[in-house]
Amino acid sequence: VYKRQQATFKKLPVYMWPVEGPDEADELYKLDRRAQIWRYDPRKDDWKEVFRSPWIESTRGDGMQVAREIGLRTMVIYQGDSDSEPAMYVATFASSRSPGALLLRSVDGKMFDPVTPYGIIEGLPVTATRVLVPFKGKLFTSPTGTRGHDVKFLINVSGNPVIYQCTDPSSAIWTAVSEPGFGDPKNQGVFMVCPFNNQLYAGTFNLGGYEVWRSDCEGEPPYKWVKVIEKGAYRGPLNQIVASMKEFKGALYVGGGIQNGGCDHVNKVGPAGSELIRIFPDDSWDLIVGDPRETPEGKKYPLSGLMSGFGNLFNGYFWDMDVHDDWLYLGTMDSTIWVKWLRMDAYSEQANALVKKIGVENILENEAGCDLWRSADGENWVPVTRVGFDNRYNLG
């Protein structure tokens, strides 16, 4: 696997790497990549580390110590059947030499203990999930990654694009509530799930353009699912993944992205900036941030007046959204810093012309670093930062 990853990365169009990386997998695993959880006390303006992933023995049986998890993808509050009170559940991202992903549980925000077997769902080789959503008394998830499905190093291909539910995470008993890929083999993963309008909405990873499905999750599973958006909202492959979803003022906002920082070299998609759409309860939808185009509903224009990526080609994911004080906030993954090392001859004429016209240093000065934008009405957007809070290496 590591050799295949190396071969893929060596094909990336950079004339040099900004930092040295380990040549062998064993050297990589000697690095301290243990995931951490920190807690903030706003009254004292104080951060405190409350969890660090433990070292465990490698699954290769060579006695090597590796991080049990190298990432923590999502946190939710949920009270399962065996919980005496609401608890925090955390979904982990396991390294390839760890036995698999886990759900961690905490009732005090200080101690985080595994409550599932490796893989989370009994019998599945799940390595990561970024989906953990309470809805109608149940907890829903879907694998983001499973072992054995990385032949082309597509880390976002789950190998099991199914939504599962349970009422007791510690039981490891999960029930499939959807067909694989909603019956379409092109749906290679369920990347995001979000409640809205008393329905559960799900966004997929699809090389032909993401899809959005919904279900009321009533009756006996598997539930009936209805397709709301197809073909990446008619943008096609440039809307590859639903990266974020959030309900705000009577509509569901959906942020897109292209894997690997907005330029999928394996599938030759991108670079392209992300788009934002919003969906209403009657399944109609608006283009909020993005590129004008024809759709079966007629020509769609971005209601914000902002083109894809908020005008930045390298805003490759609209990575997360949340609501605070009646404002909708949206954060991006911005790979602009890579312009410093790119071989532009490997990119499109449009990208080449843009970089040559503006100049690398001007681009870095004005765009490098993640964006955070906010809106009070979903249509008019203002930036909180466009330069990674003055650190151009803050990617997202």
Side-chain angles (χ1 to χ4, degrees):
V1 172
Y2 188 73
K3 293 297 183 184
R4 290 201 298 272
Q5 292 174 358
Q6 277 190 317
T8 299
F9 282 126
K10 284 178 179 177
K11 294 177 183 177
L12 294 180
V14 294
Y15 65 83
M16 64 168 285
W17 283 97
V19 295
E20 289 294 331
D23 290 327
E24 299 297 331
D26 284 352
E27 296 301 313
L28 172 67
Y29 281 89
K30 289 177 182 177
L31 299 176
D32 188 350
R33 299 187 295 156
R34 291 177 293 165
Q36 303 169 23
I37 297 174
W38 289 67
R39 188 173 71 167
Y40 179 66
D41 186 340
R43 295 165 299 182
K44 299 178 181 178
D45 190 23
D46 177 58
W47 285 96
K48 185 172 295 184
E49 181 183 315
V50 292
F51 171 81
R52 184 173 296 214
S53 175
W55 296 105
I56 61 170
E57 187 170 337
S58 166
T59 53
R60 289 161 57 106
D62 54 10
M64 187 177 187
Q65 295 290 297
V66 299
R68 190 181 70 191
E69 48 259 339
I70 55 175
L72 302 161
R73 303 299 300 266
T74 188
M75 294 176 166
V76 298
I77 305 299
Y78 177 73
Q79 185 169 355
D81 291 345
S82 62
D83 294 329
S84 60
E85 58 185 313
M88 178 183 289
Y89 285 91
V90 184
T92 75
F93 174 17
S95 70
S96 61
R97 294 190 185 179
S98 171
L102 294 164
L103 288 190
L104 309 180
R105 177 179 176 273
S106 177
V107 294
D108 59 7
K110 298 176 182 178
M111 298 295 296
F112 291 82
D113 300 310
V115 293
T116 62
Y118 285 112
I120 300 177
I121 301 170
E122 193 73 58
L124 292 182
V126 177
T127 55
T129 179
R130 65 195 307 274
V131 174
L132 210 55
V133 176
F135 180 65
K136 294 189 176 180
K138 304 178 182 70
L139 190 64
F140 291 81
T141 193
S142 186
T144 303
T146 55
R147 298 191 194 283
H149 297 274
D150 53 358
V151 176
K152 292 178 68 179
F153 187 45
L154 295 177
I155 59 175
N156 295 309
V157 174
S158 77
N160 191 35
V162 174
I163 299 175
Y164 294 87
Q165 72 176 27
C166 79
T167 58
D168 189 359
S170 62
S171 72
I173 299 173
W174 294 78
T175 302
V177 299
S178 71
E179 290 183 83
F182 302 104
D184 183 352
K186 293 179 181 178
N187 283 320
Q188 299 184 36
V190 179
F191 229 64
M192 184 55 56
V193 174
C194 183
F196 168 62
N197 190 41
N198 205 36
Q199 306 251 335
L200 196 63
Y201 284 70
T204 72
F205 168 34
N206 188 313
L207 294 175
Y210 67 60
E211 296 180 352
V212 177
W213 294 71
R214 62 173 173 82
S215 172
D216 61 11
C217 297
E218 298 287 353
E220 292 298 317
Y223 302 129
K224 179 182 178 181
W225 293 83
V226 176
K227 183 161 60 176
V228 179
I229 299 291
E230 64 180 0
K231 300 178 182 177
Y234 300 101
R235 192 190 189 201
L238 295 183
N239 276 345
Q240 189 182 75
I241 293 175
V242 172
S244 54
M245 284 180 164
K246 195 67 182 180
E247 179 180 358
F248 181 64
K249 295 187 176 179
L252 181 69
Y253 288 76
V254 179
I258 300 172
Q259 69 175 350
N260 300 335
C263 189
D264 181 353
H265 295 280
V266 173
N267 294 293
K268 297 180 173 56
V269 179
S274 303
E275 289 194 335
L276 180 68
I277 68 170
R278 70 178 173 195
I279 301 171
F280 293 100
D282 64 0
D283 294 346
S284 64
W285 62 278
D286 292 329
L287 179 62
I288 301 298
V289 176
D291 302 328
R293 56 182 170 275
E294 293 289 347
T295 77
E297 299 176 15
K299 190 78 175 271
K300 296 277 188 182
Y301 295 92
L303 299 185
S304 68
L306 295 164
M307 303 295 282
S308 59
F310 290 108
N312 180 2
L313 175 71
F314 296 102
N315 267 326
Y317 316 152
F318 282 176
W319 217 343
D320 206 358
M321 286 185 279
D322 216 334
V323 177
H324 176 67
D325 281 351
D326 221 25
W327 287 77
L328 178 62
Y329 286 79
L330 185 157
T332 77
M333 188 281 181
D334 185 342
S335 61
T336 299
I337 189 64
W338 280 98
V339 174
K340 193 170 182 177
W341 300 286
L342 287 177
R343 288 190 297 103
M344 291 307 300
D345 61 327
Y347 286 85
S348 66
E349 291 183 12
Q350 176 192 13
N352 264 286
L354 182 69
V355 172
K356 288 178 180 177
K357 184 175 182 178
I358 300 174
V360 170
E361 286 306 317
N362 280 333
I363 292 174
L364 294 177
E365 183 68 27
N366 292 284
E367 292 289 357
C370 60
D371 292 15
L372 182 65
W373 292 72
R374 69 175 188 160
S375 175
D377 61 7
E379 295 183 11
N380 296 284
W381 290 80
V382 293
V384 178
T385 180
R386 295 184 65 178
V387 288
F389 296 100
D390 298 322
N391 182 344
R392 60 178 58 179
Y393 298 97
N394 276 338
L395 291 180

